[in-house]
Amino acid sequence: MNRYKYLITISLFLFTTMLQSQTQPNIIMIYADDLGWKDLSCTGSEYYETPNLDLLAKNGMRFTRAYAAAPVCAPSRGALLSGRSPARNKYTNIYKSKSAPNDSLYDVSKEIGLNNQTLEAKHRHTLGSEAILIAEQLKNAGYTTGFIGKWHIGILDGYRPEQRGYDWAAGYYNKIDVLFEDHYITNTTDLVNLPNAKPGDWREDCYVEAACSFIEDNKSKPFFLSYHSYLTHGPFVGKKELIGKYDKKLKTDQNNPKYASMVEALDESVGKIVAYLKHLKLLNNTLIVFSSDNGGCGATSNYPLMGGKTFSYEGGYRVPLIMHWPDKIKGGALNQTRTISMDLYPTFLEVANAPINSDYIIDGVSLVGEITQTSKLAKRPIYFHFPHYSKNTSPHSSVIYDGWKLTLFYNDAKGRYALFNLNDDPEEQNDKYSDLPEKVKELDKMLQNYLVSANAELPIYAHTPEGKDLIERYHNGNIMGDSENIRDNASQKNKESGRKKALNKRLTAEKNIRKAQLSNPTITGGKAQ
């Protein structure tokens, strides 16, 4: 009798496993690097050409108010893969470090903030080991997991893709995990698991080949593929065979032929992956998600949104987001729900019918109801925390709730807040902070409560004992960080200086649009939503 019970149990287990593998969709996350919200034809570009992504959007759902978790790449990548905000991860900035052997908090990333009233916050140089990556969760749910491309969340032993839930990984650099390589491969020695790559190859082509091989090898079972492109991050070398057509094309506020060729090259890669899925008859049961890690960089224009990469404004955080799943998503849908990077983690878990660990805090919410159009998300706040300096901005935190966006600038004694009604003013031209003190108070209370709940690291005031100690150690070269790479120019950076730079970018864009309209009056420069 016991023998029969055993056989029945085994049979039920095998049947359940087989049924699950047949119904679980494949999931492919395509993550661009520095691609702006307006860098696709379907999102408003009148210069770049992206027919494959446009078709993906046409046959899927495009979110018009999607946000990256940070205005720079590394913390957004950590948030995407962990489901946790940069503040909670304490992984809040780009690092350029040969150190980072563990989860330690570091004093310095790139610019400490000398001669300002606040110094940057302490932060990690790796995504902490307590974070459970989405690949680990999906692997436990029966998925084969693969990673290709830019990792940027820790490269020393214990922090590589293969050690954090991925069965297979390729295309990342196994030494200094930041991009200073040309998009045409020059160094194959440190480029992981691309045996066919050779100097002179366009790196993205090697990634597509690897992606298709992974899909082929796992076509009979559910798989999860993180395809993290280095495009369109600098250096802006451009794909040689595509540059010429953009040299000849009418330029708008977006006017860099090399960058344009990189956008199209990224689009080509997406098209090849989609075509291969179709060839294997896997497309209908594959959820494809396309997005970017932060707002557009200096080589593009985010107009009419303010700013771009590193800025506190919408242009620094807004990104494209497209979801395509023929079996579940009706084509041609536009969705104005505000989303953030961390939402994809619980979305993937729900799609995969994977259990959620109740002890693991997730800062996102599932978008399955939105993409299947079966339910709407409840009203909720979205938070950002970038307690660092960049060439464009100073430490800041923000909250968006019910259409209102409040930003706190830590380095300002006066005018330390900015308040915008994004529903009426998505271009952030009318700062309401002095007109609506009660709204500022309401949103600031939400923001402060969130920062406490996330145990966020905050900027350090220079006049405090901790600040004075940090400055002294900085000058003595006795700091936690990679001091040889610090580019601190000790300039004053605050709300006013950041807004001035953002407005200058906006004025340049408007000038270029007017120039283009002389040749083609239909040029608009895009519309903010």
Side-chain angles (χ1 to χ4, degrees):
M1 185 69 179
N2 289 338
R3 180 170 176 268
Y4 287 117
K5 284 183 177 180
Y6 173 78
L7 290 173
I8 290 171
T9 301
I10 292 294
S11 298
L12 285 172
F13 172 77
L14 291 174
F15 176 76
T16 302
T17 302
M18 180 186 70
L19 189 63
Q20 186 181 45
S21 67
Q22 290 174 342
T23 57
Q24 286 176 307
N26 306 308
I27 303 171
I28 299 179
M29 176 69 222
I30 303 176
Y31 210 43
D33 194 356
D34 285 3
L35 186 81
W37 77 283
K38 199 183 78 170
D39 284 355
L40 310 180
S41 300
C42 62
T43 60
S45 178
E46 297 165 294
Y47 183 53
Y48 310 140
E49 298 179 18
T50 54
N52 295 295
L53 284 162
D54 297 345
L55 186 61
L56 207 67
K58 181 180 178 181
N59 294 327
M61 177 176 287
R62 180 167 66 85
F63 288 80
T64 60
R65 293 174 175 174
Y67 291 83
V72 293
C73 53
S76 283
R77 292 168 186 276
L80 171 77
L81 295 177
S82 70
R84 290 181 163 182
S85 68
R88 193 178 305 279
N89 284 329
K90 301 182 187 295
Y91 189 58
T92 47
N93 200 11
I94 302 168
Y95 65 90
K96 180 184 176 184
S97 178
K98 300 175 186 177
S99 53
N102 51 42
D103 295 355
S104 297
L105 290 173
Y106 285 75
D107 295 320
V108 177
S109 54
K110 288 186 175 182
E111 187 172 342
I112 193 172
L114 291 180
N115 290 356
N116 287 273
Q117 73 168 2
T118 54
L119 310 175
E120 71 171 335
K122 291 180 180 292
H123 55 282
R124 286 169 164 169
H125 284 193
T126 62
L127 180 64
S129 53
E130 79 284 353
I132 302 173
L133 270 61
I134 185 62
E136 298 176 65
Q137 300 269 37
L138 293 176
K139 185 175 181 178
N140 291 336
Y143 277 72
T144 301
T145 55
F147 181 89
I148 298 173
K150 184 173 181 178
W151 182 238
H152 214 185
I153 58 172
I155 203 61
L156 297 184
D157 189 42
Y159 295 92
R160 296 173 183 144
E162 303 93 329
Q163 298 166 317
R164 306 209 68 171
Y166 287 97
D167 296 305
W168 171 90
Y172 68 92
Y173 289 89
N174 63 11
K175 287 191 176 178
I176 304 172
D177 191 23
V178 291
L179 173 66
F180 285 101
E181 281 285 327
D182 196 305
H183 292 286
Y184 284 99
I185 294 173
T186 59
N187 168 18
T188 59
T189 304
D190 300 325
L191 193 56
V192 172
N193 201 18
L194 290 178
N196 297 328
K198 58 186 183 299
D201 286 346
W202 181 254
R203 181 174 46 204
E204 193 76 12
D205 290 341
C206 299
Y207 285 176
V208 171
E209 180 183 343
C212 291
S213 294
F214 174 82
I215 293 168
E216 176 71 38
D217 291 343
N218 297 284
K219 61 186 177 184
S220 61
K221 51 191 174 183
F223 62 80
F224 170 64
L225 175 61
S226 295
Y227 184 98
H228 290 205
S229 175
Y230 274 103
L231 294 173
T232 53
H233 196 292
F236 305 113
V237 294
K239 196 169 187 181
K240 295 172 184 175
E241 57 266 38
L242 297 176
I243 296 173
K245 78 182 214 179
Y246 290 102
D247 274 327
K248 300 172 184 176
K249 192 172 180 180
L250 177 64
K251 298 169 181 59
T252 64
D253 55 318
Q254 297 174 325
N255 53 24
N256 186 318
K258 291 181 178 179
Y259 183 85
S261 74
M262 292 164 68
V263 173
E264 184 170 343
L266 174 64
D267 180 79
E268 286 181 345
S269 298
V270 174
K272 290 174 183 177
I273 292 171
V274 170
Y276 201 73
L277 290 167
K278 187 179 292 186
H279 166 70
L280 295 176
K281 296 181 172 55
L282 297 176
L283 185 62
N284 285 350
N285 194 39
T286 299
L287 170 62
I288 302 174
V289 178
F290 177 87
S291 194
S292 180
D293 58 0
N294 50 249
C297 63
T300 191
S301 169
N302 301 292
Y303 181 88
L305 297 184
M306 284 277 281
K309 180 179 180 179
T310 78
F311 281 89
S312 63
Y313 297 103
E314 293 287 277
Y317 286 91
R318 289 273 293 273
V319 291
L321 175 60
I322 297 169
M323 295 193 185
H324 180 275
W325 185 10
D327 278 357
K328 297 291 183 180
I329 299 176
K330 295 179 182 178
L334 293 179
N335 191 311
Q336 293 189 327
T337 303
R338 286 190 168 88
T339 69
I340 193 165
S341 306
M342 297 84 75
D343 293 338
L344 295 177
Y345 190 108
T347 300
F348 294 160
L349 290 181
E350 185 173 349
V351 163
N353 195 26
I356 296 178
N357 184 344
S358 59
D359 296 328
Y360 184 70
I361 296 173
I362 297 174
D363 289 310
V365 296
S366 174
L367 302 175
V368 169
E370 292 285 348
I371 63 176
T372 58
Q373 300 184 41
T374 56
S375 63
K376 300 292 292 182
L377 289 185
K379 186 168 63 174
R380 56 156 179 169
I382 291 178
Y383 298 101
F384 307 98
H385 184 55
F386 186 68
H388 303 283
Y389 291 88
S390 75
K391 64 181 180 180
N392 295 315
T393 195
S394 59
H396 63 270
S397 302
S398 300
V399 56
I400 299 175
Y401 182 68
D402 200 22
W404 289 95
K405 177 181 177 182
L406 180 76
T407 299
L408 164 62
F409 295 92
Y410 292 93
N411 201 40
D412 286 72
K414 296 181 180 180
R416 63 193 271 112
Y417 296 99
L419 177 67
F420 297 101
N421 184 336
L422 296 180
N423 291 336
D424 299 332
D425 180 27
E427 300 174 20
E428 294 173 292
Q429 296 301 293
N430 301 303
D431 188 351
K432 300 289 189 180
Y433 90 96
S434 59
D435 301 330
L436 299 170
E438 289 303 312
K439 179 61 69 174
V440 171
K441 184 177 179 180
E442 171 197 347
L443 294 174
D444 186 50
K445 183 177 180 180
M446 294 174 65
L447 180 58
Q448 297 302 329
N449 287 342
Y450 164 73
L451 294 172
V452 170
S453 70
N455 194 24
E457 296 294 325
L458 301 178
I460 299 166
Y461 283 90
H463 67 272
T464 63
E466 184 180 11
K468 291 176 181 178
D469 174 68
L470 178 54
I471 292 171
E472 182 178 356
R473 288 189 291 111
Y474 172 88
H475 287 304
N476 292 336
N478 183 27
I479 55 173
M480 287 280 284
D482 199 3
S483 58
E484 68 188 62
N485 291 312
I486 295 172
R487 60 181 186 211
D488 210 317
N489 59 16
S491 63
Q492 285 287 321
K493 293 181 180 177
N494 49 32
K495 172 185 173 179
E496 183 180 355
S497 67
R499 184 157 187 84
K500 183 177 180 180
K501 286 194 173 187
L503 285 171
N504 285 339
K505 287 176 67 72
R506 182 180 177 85
L507 290 172
T508 299
E510 290 175 340
K511 178 180 177 181
N512 289 331
I513 290 168
R514 287 194 297 270
K515 182 178 178 181
Q517 288 172 338
L518 296 175
S519 298
N520 183 353
T522 65
I523 295 293
T524 65
K527 181 181 179 182
Q529 294 179 306

